Every structure is written in C-alpha cells, then in structure tokens.
Amino acid sequence: MNNVEQSTTSDNKKSLNFIEVIVEKDLKEGKNDGRIQTRFPPEPNGYLHIGHAKAICIDFGIAEKYNGVCNLRFDDTNPVKEDVEYVDSIMDDIHWLGFEWDEVLYASDYFPQLWDFAVQLIKEDKAYIDEQSAEDIAKQKGTPTNPGTNSPYRDRPIEESLQLFEKMNSGDLPEGAMVLRAKIDMAASNMHLRDPIIYRIIHTPHHRTGTNWKAYPMYDFAHGQSDYFEGVTHSICTLEFEVHRPLYDWFIDQLADSDYRPHQYEFNRLNLTYTMMSKRKLLQLVQEKLVSGWNDPRMPTLSGLRRRGYTPESIRNFVDSIGYTKYDGMNDLALLEHSIKEDLNAKTHRVSGVLDPIKLIITNYPEDKTEMMETINNPEDESMGSREIAFTKELYIERDDFMEDAPKKYFRLTPGREVRLKSAYIVMCTGCKKDDNGNVTEVYAEYDPETRSGMPQSGRRVKGTIHWISVPHSVNTEVRLYDRLFTVEDPANVKDQDFKELINPDSLKILKNCKVEECLKDAKAGDSFQFQRIGYFNVDIDSTPGNMVFNRTVPLRDSWARKK
Ligand code: ATP
Ligand code: MG
C-alpha cells in the first residue's frame, strides 16, 4: 500500500527523489541562470497538518539543498474561509519544523497586477464576462469525451466585458451575478481549458485588503501568476494539480514577456491511515467540538502532533522515509509512530510512571528507612548520566503487575514467585489484602537484601522485572491516553456514513490517579519521558504546578522486560 520508493539507508548516498533529479538537471543545463526558487503556498483557511509538512520539506528542502530561495506565500484569494489566526499558526508551525523562509508574501498583494492582467486578456479577446448562473455554466461544460457548448455571452463586445468587469468590482452586483471567464476552447480535451472562470464576486471582507475588492481571482488564475511575479523556478505541488498544469502554462504564456517560465511539478500527497487531511473536515471537528481544538493531540495537525509529543525531527524523518513519488497511496500510521519512538528512544530519560497504582508493601523492610538507588537515565546514551531514586517500604506498582492466581508463564508478582524491582531488590511475593468486594487493595512481598546492586547476589537472575515508585516520593498526576482518532483506515472515503460517526470512542481516556517519580514535578510543558515498560509521555500545556497532566505520545509495543 505504501509508496516507499526511496531507499532509507542512513548513509548520505541516499538516492535523489525525482524532483531533485529535475532540479539537478536544470542546474546542469544552466536554466534560469542557475537560479532555484520555490515557494510554500498555504491557503490561510486552517492549521497546517502533517500532509503540509511533506510539502514544506520539499519546498524548503530543495531551496536549502541547492542554495536557492523559498518564500512563504499565503494563497489568500478566498476571504470567506481565511483568517489571520491561521496565518500566525502557519508561520509558527513552519518555524517549529525547522525551516526559514526568505520572504512572507501574499497572493492578495498581487490583486492589482492580477486585475491588470485580466483586463489585458479581455482586451485581447481572451476573456469575457458571463452572466449565466453557475448551474448553466456547469451544464455547458460537457464531459471528458463530449465537447462543451459555448456560452451565449462568449462573443459579446470587448467594451461590454470591460465595463461589466469594472461593475463586478463595484459592490453594486450580488454574488453570483456574473463571472469573468478565460476564452480558451470549449472542446479542449482537458476540461480545465474549457473557458475556466477566473474572477467571481465575493462580498465578505478580506483579512488583509478589507473591502477594497469585490471581485476576486480564482486559485488557478492567481497561483501561477504569483509564481511568475516572484520569479519561482520550480512550483512544486501535489498530484491533483497535474490536470491544471496546461492551464497554468496557458496563463503564463499570455503573461510572459521573456523566456523565463515557472514550471509546475507534482508529487503524491501524504495520506495517513486512521486520520484525514481535509482542512474542511478538520475544521468541522473543531467547530462541532468533537476535538478540543486544532491542537487536540489526536489531530493530524502539526500543532496537535507537537502537543502530543511529536518532535520536528520525527516528522522530518518520517517524511523522508516515505519519499516523493508520482503515485497516490496511503501511508501507514505505524510508520509515523515508529519514527517518533526512534527519536524519543534516543532522547528521553527513562522514568517510572504508574498508571493504575496499587501499593506493594515490603513487609521485612524497615519502616523509616530510605535508600537511594542509582538508575541509568537512558541506556541508549551513556552521556545522559544517571540519577538516584528513593526506595522505601511502601511502593506503588501497576495493578496488573500482580495476579493472585497466575498462570505458569506470568513473570510478575504472584504469591510464591520472585521478581526484580528495577534498579533495586529482588522481592518474593507473599500475598495480598482484599476489600469486601474481593478487590485487591495491597500486595505484600519480602525483599532479599543481598540482591541490591553491589551486593553479593546482585547478579542473581529472575524472570521478570517490574517498575515501582516509592509512595512518599511520588507525585499524583493526570494522564491522557490518546489513540487513533478514527476506527477505520480511510475515514474520508467511507461511503454512506458521515465521517464523524467513525470517530474512535476510545481515542481519549483520562486517568486521574496516576503516579510519577518526584523528579518530574518540575518538568515543563512539552518535556518528554519514557515511562518505562509503558510508552512515551510528555507534559501537556494544561499542567499547572501541583496538578500535572501527561499525554501519551505513543505506547511502547514491547515492554523492556520482554525485550531483555
Ligand atoms: P484544502 O484542504 O483547503 O484544499 P490544502 O490541503 O490543499 O487545502 P493548501 O493550503 O492549499 O492546503 O496547501 C498548501 C500546500 O500544501 C499545497 O502546495 C498543497 O499541495 C500541499 N499539501 C496539502 N495537503 C497535502 C498533503 N496531504 N500532502 C502533501 N502536500 C499537501
Ligand atoms: Mg489547496
């Protein structure tokens, strides 16, 4: 299912992706005087998602690699859906990913130039005002195998179109009253060339130009021309724009007065299982409060992933590993999870977190004694050092690390069997206490003093190792367990069912009574840890002093006890 075409070897001899191949060829041939210029062109109508990260990595990446320029250009041609909130978040997210633009530009800055160009097309008899309804225009489009029908307004006098075009922008006409269309060919085999609409009337004020304009260019009319005005050489976008390319080139041909031409190249968009990338649908989730906001840790947005504990490196590595191809497909969420696990494995301290605590009492351990046990912060990286954790008579362990009637292969606590308490002693389980309903309330064990590190029996091996936290040295915390947002692989393409009905009811579980090591009480929002044997967790922005909140970024598939 995945289009993994590039090798993902770690050596720097990695094969070039097809866009890099094109760029290197152009450089070799001396095209555009050796100049490389790209742009990242988001519409400020939502927050960026991981699909955009793929576009960002290639747009900025190409410029970085080939000493070129990449501008951030907001494609703000539809005031109805756009807002400055989105402009700000988009800039934050690009910086967070680790990229820097040359200039911030707005398609709306070109409205005067685009207007003049439209007037030029009318004067050259290459555009006309059509007063038909949108439905009638659609009916005349024809089909890919049948030519369309000319509009009855197609051959109206140039003067009339010029006057009406002014009127479109006057505010005197209701939306939909008329449109400006390019006069190309209603029989063209490419449907986009069948007299495409290039201007429409919108009365909603624009977040930058206010009420200056009432007539707004369509995406197709603004995009390529903006590329041209800026001097873009490689206009990289996703495959759905491939069929727009002849129109892109047609406009540029009308506009260009030299040999310079921007060229459009298309790559496969990122689609990820168990989520969706449509901004329109993500906006619905936010507006209908099905998630807590654009940065809900279940969202595929960059702000959601960041809050969830994803690092920029993990996202860039993931994008790198799936590569750029010419074939659309679906990428497995597990690959993204693999990438964050790999990154956090290298970077995080191993700490104890107990999600469902039960007390373990070491009955033969002195009441008032505290021993400090040395524990390694990250076995993957010696330079991260070690720390000391307190050991006392009363410990918290996971409830499911005890079982009263355990099968033979249960290598955790059960009466009569031994386990090692990580970084401390081997203990022998002796029993438990239950309440009136038969629920276990406390577990009992005896420790073997000879088995602490440095002691004669420290090397003695037992089958299981479990984690623990000293009760007086623990901090209570809330933990939010996140899981995939949808129950099906491709929720955007399920027929006969609203995508909102496919939301995973278990995508968020909140645990209020979890315990973490005391040393975590000063951790700051965004700090990540491995809760050993459980998964990677980070401090949520909802944390307050004395009221910590951790998000589960991703569970560990195998517990370290089993891996050992
Ligand atoms: P909408 O959902 O509103 O149509 P969009 O997802 O296309 O918007 P834009 O803001 O137009 O978002 O996208 C900016 C750039 O990001 C475009 O070049 C687009 O091709 C690219 N992009 C968008 N979605 C993806 C994706 N899933 N994978 C790769 N690139 C993407
Ligand atoms: Mg778009």
Side-chain angles (χ1 to χ4, degrees):
M1 225 177 171
N2 302 317
N3 291 318
V4 184
E5 290 199 346
Q6 272 83 34
S7 74
T8 55
T9 47
S10 54
D11 59 322
N12 46 17
K13 279 261 165 95
K14 221 184 126 215
S15 58
L16 300 179
N17 65 47
F18 78 93
I19 297 168
E20 291 168 330
V21 170
I22 292 167
V23 168
E24 294 202 358
K25 181 164 172 281
D26 290 348
L27 283 172
K28 209 155 136 203
E29 291 172 0
K31 272 202 192 151
N32 302 304
D33 306 320
R35 214 169 47 79
I36 299 294
Q37 186 167 332
T38 60
R39 83 287 167 268
F40 174 62
E43 186 179 353
N45 63 351
Y47 280 60
L48 295 183
H49 52 58
I50 185 150
H52 294 114
K54 180 171 179 178
I56 290 170
C57 287
I58 191 83
D59 292 331
F60 288 93
I62 287 281
E64 249 174 45
K65 183 164 177 182
Y66 298 101
N67 285 321
V69 164
C70 179
N71 291 321
L72 169 60
R73 181 176 72 231
F74 289 102
D75 243 326
D76 55 347
T77 52
N78 184 358
V80 179
K81 294 191 281 177
E82 296 159 6
D83 199 274
V84 273
E85 174 195 349
Y86 301 132
V87 169
D88 295 340
S89 75
I90 287 169
M91 295 203 274
D92 284 350
D93 286 344
I94 296 171
H95 276 150
W96 177 72
L97 271 181
F99 293 105
E100 190 57 72
W101 49 82
D102 227 70
E103 285 182 78
V104 179
L105 304 166
Y106 295 83
S108 55
D109 289 341
Y110 307 125
F111 283 170
Q113 279 156 283
L114 290 168
W115 178 269
D116 291 346
F117 177 44
V119 168
Q120 175 200 321
L121 289 181
I122 300 173
K123 285 184 176 161
E124 291 171 355
D125 201 21
K126 289 173 185 160
Y128 60 97
I129 296 286
D130 195 333
E131 291 174 60
Q132 298 182 97
S133 67
E135 295 75 45
D136 285 340
I137 291 175
K139 268 188 227 150
Q140 293 161 0
K141 268 259 149 157
T143 65
T145 45
N146 287 310
T149 326
N150 285 354
S151 160
Y153 295 99
R154 200 173 197 261
D155 291 316
R156 76 188 322 161
I158 289 172
E159 243 346 281
E160 210 174 279
S161 280
L162 283 173
Q163 279 167 17
L164 289 172
F165 191 40
E166 286 292 342
K167 206 168 169 192
M168 269 181 72
N169 200 33
S170 66
D172 296 340
L173 293 175
E175 292 185 4
M178 53 186 68
V179 292
L180 181 68
R181 297 177 71 180
K183 194 188 277 191
I184 307 179
D185 181 2
M186 288 305 289
S189 57
N190 183 312
M191 301 283 286
H192 293 280
L193 295 176
R194 293 186 185 176
D195 290 11
I197 294 170
I198 56 179
Y199 266 87
R200 79 281 210 210
I201 302 168
I202 297 177
H203 287 298
T204 309
H206 187 279
H207 66 102
R208 294 190 82 239
T209 59
T211 53
N212 292 354
W213 300 88
K214 297 290 184 297
Y216 286 89
M218 299 294 287
Y219 168 88
D220 276 328
F221 192 70
H223 195 89
Q225 283 80 296
S226 303
D227 286 344
Y228 178 82
F229 298 143
E230 286 165 17
V232 167
T233 56
H234 297 78
S235 181
I236 307 164
C237 61
T238 36
L239 277 174
E240 70 269 26
F241 292 104
E242 193 168 12
V243 286
H244 295 239
R245 184 161 15 108
L247 181 58
Y248 179 104
D249 290 339
W250 188 87
F251 286 131
I252 302 285
D253 283 341
Q254 312 309 311
L255 188 60
D257 55 7
S258 71
D259 285 346
Y260 156 69
R261 294 277 189 290
H263 283 284
Q264 181 185 296
Y265 302 94
E266 310 87 11
F267 66 86
N268 63 329
R269 59 191 291 129
L270 170 60
N271 298 305
L272 206 54
T273 53
Y274 301 103
T275 187
M276 50 178 53
M277 299 295 167
S278 154
K279 278 193 272 187
R280 190 174 53 81
K281 287 182 176 154
L282 296 176
L283 177 64
Q284 257 178 287
L285 294 177
V286 173
Q287 285 177 336
E288 295 176 28
K289 302 212 185 314
L290 296 165
V291 294
S292 66
W294 283 100
N295 68 346
D296 185 300
R298 290 167 294 180
M299 291 281 270
T301 52
L302 294 179
S303 52
L305 288 165
R306 172 165 68 223
R307 185 167 173 191
R308 175 86 170 249
Y310 275 80
T311 59
E313 294 78 12
S314 69
I315 291 172
R316 290 173 66 157
N317 289 341
F318 165 69
V319 166
D320 206 40
S321 71
I322 58 173
Y324 294 83
T325 76
K326 278 291 212 179
Y327 310 95
D328 267 322
M330 188 64 105
N331 296 105
D332 196 338
L333 180 62
L335 264 175
L336 178 64
E337 293 180 344
H338 170 77
S339 181
I340 185 61
K341 277 194 258 187
E342 202 171 58
D343 197 38
L344 294 178
N345 179 45
K347 290 178 180 163
T348 56
H349 281 201
R350 275 53 170 166
V351 299
S352 281
V354 175
L355 302 191
D356 185 10
I358 188 166
K359 266 190 197 171
L360 170 68
I361 300 181
I362 314 295
T363 49
N364 60 340
Y365 195 83
E367 195 78 48
D368 45 10
K369 185 168 171 180
T370 303
E371 280 179 281
M372 299 311 290
M373 305 290 186
E374 186 173 14
T375 186
I376 290 170
N377 286 328
N378 185 345
E380 304 286 325
D381 183 355
E382 241 178 58
S383 74
M384 289 172 75
S386 61
R387 68 181 188 287
E388 295 203 312
I389 45 174
F391 185 88
T392 57
K393 186 182 180 78
E394 295 201 353
L395 310 172
Y396 284 121
I397 59 166
E398 292 290 349
R399 186 170 289 276
D400 70 2
D401 279 340
F402 171 77
M403 199 185 248
E404 201 178 9
D405 267 319
K408 228 174 160 190
K409 291 228 156 138
Y410 185 81
F411 298 127
R412 291 170 275 170
L413 281 171
T414 188
R417 286 184 216 168
E418 284 186 319
V419 295
R420 177 170 286 280
L421 299 177
K422 170 96 168 105
S423 307
Y425 298 103
I426 291 176
V427 299
M428 160 76 77
C429 184
T430 53
C432 67
K433 184 164 122 189
K434 291 191 227 171
D435 65 14
D436 294 343
N437 301 320
N439 299 315
V440 177
T441 54
E442 277 178 3
V443 178
Y444 303 114
E446 288 179 0
Y447 83 117
D448 177 350
E450 298 287 292
T451 53
R452 184 186 165 166
S453 142
M455 301 295 281
Q457 294 275 318
S458 69
R460 185 150 77 80
R461 291 176 94 70
V462 287
K463 283 249 164 78
T465 304
I466 65 171
H467 66 282
W468 51 272
I469 307 174
S470 157
V471 171
H473 301 90
S474 68
V475 175
N476 198 73
T477 181
E478 176 178 329
V479 170
R480 298 175 183 169
L481 298 178
Y482 292 105
D483 201 350
R484 47 182 68 145
L485 185 52
F486 291 97
T487 51
V488 297
E489 281 204 352
D490 191 5
N493 287 309
V494 171
K495 301 230 160 54
D496 312 321
Q497 212 177 348
D498 183 21
F499 75 95
K500 286 171 285 180
E501 291 167 22
L502 302 167
I503 292 181
N504 176 6
D506 297 323
S507 58
L508 169 58
K509 269 190 229 148
I510 299 179
L511 309 176
K512 293 272 190 190
N513 185 35
C514 308
K515 310 292 174 187
V516 292
E517 281 179 39
E518 204 174 25
C519 70
L520 295 192
K521 72 175 195 302
D522 300 320
K524 288 183 203 47
D527 287 353
S528 284
F529 301 91
Q530 187 195 91
F531 287 6
Q532 43 197 353
R533 298 175 66 218
I534 303 177
Y536 293 98
F537 292 77
N538 81 333
V539 181
D540 190 72
I541 46 178
D542 285 347
S543 279
T544 53
N547 204 349
M548 296 202 79
V549 179
F550 281 90
N551 300 316
R552 182 175 68 192
T553 309
V554 62
L556 288 174
R557 194 171 298 141
D558 311 304
S559 72
W560 48 256
R562 220 178 310 151
K563 262 195 242 157
K564 266 184 146 184

